[in-house]
Amino acid sequence: MQTPNNETRQRILDAAEELFSKRGYAAVRLRDIAGAVGMRHASLYYYAPKGKQQLFVEVMERNFARHLEGLTAAISGAGDDLRAQMYAVAEWLITQPPLDFGRMQQSDMREIGEEEANRLMEMGYNAMRLPIVAALKRARDTGTVAVSDANLAAMGLVNLVQSVHQLPSYFGQDARLKTSKQLVDMLLDGWLRRS
């Protein structure tokens, strides 16, 4: 049986994504997802015959694909200037719900099985890392930066910017974006004075 792919299914995936993002896999029940879209719990099985795990896997695949596409487009749209590219990365990350890789690895992924968890975590790290790594390597090749480990630099940037989501709620979107760009500047300019 083929799973339907219609507006209702997209609403289910959107609701599941929001709930999993806020509460984690273990804390979300199918009843919560059904309630969020205004349908009966049993009706969800029409859209997700394998239940909560199927929804979680699909939500994460969709989320990671969106990040890969969004980060790639942000960098591409920023032109050739590395600072503008990293500002675009920061803006993309700030305008998206945060990804809590620590919680996912320590909690969520333990619930779904090792093979599937490893596949999803690799997909997630690649989505967040690879577009930035490519930009850093291009900048390194032109002599703009001296980054010895582009993978570490990319994940450092992602984690710093993701931490801005933890600011108290009275920090609005504009303040979060400004802070994330300050973090980009800090990474690009370094902390030590140059003589």
Side-chain angles (χ1 to χ4, degrees):
M1 177 175 121
Q2 187 172 1
T3 307
N5 189 14
N6 56 27
E7 184 181 326
T8 301
R9 179 166 178 69
Q10 294 309 308
R11 285 184 28 241
I12 290 167
L13 291 172
D14 290 343
E17 181 174 352
E18 183 175 345
L19 289 168
F20 288 138
S21 175
K22 288 180 180 175
R23 300 182 357 202
Y25 179 83
V28 174
R29 300 171 310 155
L30 279 178
R31 288 188 192 289
D32 300 327
I33 298 168
V37 293
M39 69 183 344
R40 292 182 349 190
H41 169 229
S43 299
L44 273 182
Y45 286 100
Y46 175 71
Y47 295 95
K50 296 179 184 173
K52 182 170 91 166
Q53 182 173 331
Q54 178 185 356
L55 282 175
F56 180 77
V57 168
E58 289 181 37
V59 159
M60 297 315 296
E61 289 172 340
R62 184 178 82 151
N63 192 334
F64 296 149
R66 184 177 65 240
H67 275 289
L68 179 62
E69 183 179 316
L71 288 169
T72 301
I75 291 168
S76 175
D80 293 332
D81 180 69
L82 182 64
R83 190 174 306 269
Q85 291 173 351
M86 295 304 105
Y87 281 175
V89 165
E91 186 169 351
W92 168 262
L93 292 173
I94 288 301
T95 60
Q96 301 302 305
L99 285 173
D100 187 343
F101 279 104
R103 188 206 60 226
M104 283 191 283
Q105 192 163 355
Q106 296 301 315
S107 178
D108 297 345
M109 296 302 173
R110 292 178 182 212
E111 300 282 334
I112 66 167
E114 187 176 359
E115 187 175 320
E116 191 73 284
N118 289 339
R119 184 184 70 78
L120 283 176
M121 289 305 288
E122 181 177 1
M123 184 180 189
Y125 279 118
N126 286 342
M128 302 299 278
R129 176 181 58 85
L130 293 179
I132 302 167
V133 166
L136 289 172
K137 285 182 176 179
R138 284 190 302 272
R140 185 176 60 201
D141 291 347
T142 63
T144 305
V145 294
V147 174
S148 61
D149 188 337
N151 289 296
L152 180 61
M155 288 314 297
L157 172 65
V158 167
N159 286 317
L160 276 174
V161 173
Q162 290 280 326
S163 73
V164 174
H165 284 287
Q166 303 305 315
L167 291 174
S169 60
Y170 57 81
F171 282 86
Q173 191 72 354
D174 289 341
R176 283 186 166 92
L177 183 56
K178 181 180 178 184
T179 301
S180 68
K181 287 181 177 180
Q182 289 173 323
L183 290 170
V184 168
D185 289 338
M186 183 183 68
L187 287 173
L188 290 176
D189 297 337
W191 288 4
L192 298 176
R193 282 193 181 147
R194 287 163 180 77
S195 33

